[in-house]
Amino acid sequence: MSEYQDWNSKIVEEFRANEGRVGGQFEGAPMVVLHHRGRKSGQEHLAPLMYLADESDPDVVYIFASKAGAPTNPDWYHNLKAAGRAEIERGTERYPVAIEELTGAERDRVYVEQARRYPGFAEYATKTEGVRVIPVLALRRG
């Protein structure tokens, strides 16, 4: 198991042990565990991610393919785009979601709000400026 996979596994374990809450650098942040299948391998993978809840629709959360400001999108982003569906754990619930990528002004509005709440996301956008626009995905229950 890679160091990154081991790190993710520890966060998922803490998430599940504490009804969807984790400490450390994620203390107080809203988290989901994303279940996705590798588009090539078909294997299930887990990714703990911060999210932003939609202000008017409780069935929608937004996730950000920031990869901490790396020059490439995370693998889970490509897997979700290929599949169009996934499952998430949110709190103590696990449920299926449909995937929609936000674009233009809607994408910008959601990303700016996430960066306002969690300044690390503003840093990620600065790191990727001129290289890539960090994708924002809406996950809709159902």
Side-chain angles (χ1 to χ4, degrees):
M1 181 179 288
S2 76
E3 186 176 324
Y4 177 74
Q5 289 170 321
D6 187 48
W7 184 79
N8 271 357
S9 294
K10 288 177 182 174
I11 293 172
V12 170
E13 185 178 309
E14 183 179 358
F15 176 97
R16 289 175 173 162
N18 295 293
E19 299 180 336
R21 292 181 303 277
V22 297
Q25 71 188 76
F26 299 112
E27 181 75 39
M31 300 285 296
V32 295
V33 174
L34 173 68
H35 293 249
H36 60 101
R37 293 219 171 265
R39 63 197 177 286
K40 297 175 187 172
S41 69
Q43 292 181 322
E44 183 180 57
H45 300 282
L46 302 178
L49 303 169
M50 289 177 63
Y51 73 87
L52 177 66
D54 186 272
E55 293 179 357
S56 60
D57 188 342
D59 288 334
V60 175
V61 297
Y62 303 105
I63 58 173
F64 308 86
S66 65
K67 199 175 178 183
T72 59
N73 291 324
D75 288 341
W76 61 257
Y77 166 79
H78 300 290
N79 292 340
L80 293 183
K81 290 291 288 180
R85 300 198 58 76
E87 287 189 352
I88 61 171
E89 293 177 54
R90 184 176 175 200
T92 59
E93 284 188 276
R94 179 175 172 174
Y95 56 88
V97 292
I99 312 299
E100 176 190 355
E101 185 165 355
L102 304 184
T103 58
E106 184 180 21
R107 179 255 170 228
D108 295 346
R109 177 188 61 77
V110 172
Y111 197 89
V112 164
E113 180 58 23
Q114 181 72 351
R116 184 187 70 76
R117 293 180 189 198
Y118 300 97
F121 283 86
E123 293 173 27
Y124 303 155
T126 299
K127 288 181 180 179
T128 61
E129 193 171 337
V131 177
R132 70 180 178 102
V133 174
I134 295 172
V136 176
L137 301 176
L139 309 182
R140 180 175 301 279
R141 183 191 294 257

